[in-house]
Amino acid sequence: QEDAANYYYTILTKDVANTVAYEQLISIYENTDKYKYYIYRGNKNSIEGKLSFAINDYKKALSHAEDEAQIVMTRLTLAIFIASLDRR
């Protein structure tokens, strides 16, 4: 599974909007790492323009964050998305 995750992560470094790679990562992490699962699902939803779904996913990811870096990055991402919704 880790090799597959690395493969799809590499794809995303070259094509950040590749929804197939996000779908595969979501599937890989669904039962093993809830933080990554919700982050990748939020990213996919944001690419698809589903900002309210993305915000909900990032909030769920925040509840599964295990260290300070994950907490800070997730809160920053949430703030950006909430601000963009407010501008609409």
Side-chain angles (χ1 to χ4, degrees):
Q1 264 189 341
E2 198 60 35
D3 288 341
N6 288 333
Y7 172 76
Y8 291 111
Y9 179 77
T10 301
I11 290 172
L12 290 176
T13 61
K14 297 173 185 170
D15 179 11
V16 301
N18 189 310
T19 57
V20 173
Y22 282 116
E23 288 169 0
Q24 295 305 310
L25 287 165
I26 291 165
S27 178
I28 289 168
Y29 290 118
E30 184 173 13
N31 296 313
T32 60
D33 188 330
K34 288 296 186 186
Y35 176 78
K36 289 181 182 178
Y37 168 76
Y38 286 117
I39 289 294
Y40 288 125
R41 197 169 88 168
N43 291 349
K44 180 178 177 285
N45 280 326
S46 69
I47 288 167
E48 293 174 343
K50 301 174 185 173
L51 296 185
S52 60
F53 289 109
I55 288 170
N56 286 332
D57 287 329
Y58 294 131
K59 286 179 181 177
K60 290 175 185 174
L62 189 58
S63 71
H64 293 282
E66 296 178 0
D67 61 47
E68 191 68 23
Q70 288 179 339
I71 292 168
V72 170
M73 290 305 297
T74 307
R75 284 183 178 163
L76 177 62
T77 303
L78 267 169
I80 291 167
F81 278 94
I82 290 169
S84 70
L85 273 182
D86 288 344
R87 282 185 241 130
R88 287 183 165 189

